[in-house]
Amino acid sequence: EMGFKINRVERYELMMSRVRGLLALVELGYSPDELFIEDQINEVYQDLKNAMKNPSHELFKEISAAGRMQKLDTELIKYFSQAKKDNNNAARVAIRMLIEDEYVFPDAEEKAIKMLLTYINTTEDENCPKDENGNIVKELGSEIETLEHDYVQSVQRSQSSFNGSTGRETGMRSLNISIIPNISEGNISDRSVGGKEDLPREKSERRSSAVRESCRGDVTMELF
């Protein structure tokens, strides 16, 4: 790096894009071992860890350290659940941002909550909280529904502002409902977001009792 001015933000984003691309290849059926994904993730983490020693680092000018960690955690959830088939550790990563961070990116939050829902429905882990009455699954499902509803509303508002009218809102609603990913089998049934104008939207923190009950200690990169 001597003699060259390195844009560390662009370099970091390039590394993150590489990780996302490799995980996409795993989803298509490629072997994670042959792609050396773990090495790539470790490289990103070490870069972020070194940057976090300096709070004024250029990497945190637009996105905070917590935000950067959330974006990495989102890819870690995919890595453990898809590449390693390890829903237990994927859930441990997912719980961190929901418990520790004051603000969470909506896409990261949705990914984390969906992972917890999958964990609750499929795991045989002895540390998994008992959900005999289905209250935890119901609460997590409700949170996902709220996030998807908020996403649709946000897209509609943006589209309406762009077009300068509300004439095309109905089309946008049906379009966005169709592209929202459904929860996998074993989880809550498909729900139509359309017509849910009266969906409850809690103003309190999204730290639900279900999430708190699922927590089993702090999780960092000791998993590697």
Side-chain angles (χ1 to χ4, degrees), residues 106 146-173 176 193 196-197 199 201 203 206:
T146 301
L147 285 168
E148 292 179 342
H149 176 271
D150 289 347
Y151 172 75
V152 171
Q153 294 295 92
S154 176
V155 172
Q156 288 178 346
R157 285 193 297 269
S158 298
Q159 184 70 12
S160 178
S161 298
F162 179 77
N163 293 331
S165 68
T166 58
R168 296 170 60 186
E169 284 194 34
T170 303
M172 281 299 298
R173 177 182 296 278
N176 280 283
V193 182
K196 286 195 174 283
E197 303 299 335
L199 184 71
R201 302 178 64 178
K203 298 299 183 182
R206 293 190 183 277

Side-chain angles (χ1 to χ4, degrees), residues 71-148:
K71 288 181 175 292
L72 178 56
D73 280 351
T74 301
E75 304 312 316
L76 276 174
I77 293 171
K78 295 177 186 176
Y79 169 74
F80 281 117
S81 62
Q82 296 176 7
K84 305 295 286 185
K85 309 300 181 185
D86 184 355
N87 286 342
N88 290 358
N89 275 328
R92 291 181 64 202
V93 173
I95 200 69
R96 187 207 64 77
M97 69 179 80
L98 299 174
I99 296 299
E100 295 182 7
D101 295 347
E102 184 176 1
Y103 300 101
V104 184
F105 287 114
D107 58 332
E109 183 179 17
E110 183 177 349
K111 185 71 177 178
I113 294 177
K114 283 186 175 181
M115 187 64 248
L116 291 177
L117 188 57
T118 300
Y119 169 77
I120 291 290
N121 283 330
T122 62
T123 189
E124 297 180 357
D125 184 5
E126 61 181 13
N127 290 322
C128 181
K130 304 300 181 184
D131 190 27
E132 296 176 356
N133 298 322
N135 292 331
I136 296 177
V137 168
K138 186 183 299 183
E139 193 168 350
L140 290 172
S142 175
E143 199 68 19
I144 293 169
E145 203 172 42
T146 301
L147 285 168
E148 292 179 342

Side-chain angles (χ1 to χ4, degrees), residues 28-83:
L28 291 173
Y30 288 84
S31 169
D33 295 331
E34 294 179 359
L35 297 174
F36 302 103
I37 299 178
E38 188 169 326
D39 292 340
Q40 295 291 335
I41 293 176
N42 274 322
E43 185 179 355
V44 174
Y45 174 68
Q46 288 300 324
D47 207 51
L48 179 58
K49 184 178 178 181
N50 292 334
M52 289 174 69
K53 296 176 182 177
N54 177 16
S56 61
H57 194 282
E58 58 187 316
L59 197 60
F60 309 130
K61 287 183 178 179
E62 295 185 1
I63 301 177
S64 68
R68 292 289 184 189
M69 184 58 75
Q70 286 173 24
K71 288 181 175 292
L72 178 56
D73 280 351
T74 301
E75 304 312 316
L76 276 174
I77 293 171
K78 295 177 186 176
Y79 169 74
F80 281 117
S81 62
Q82 296 176 7

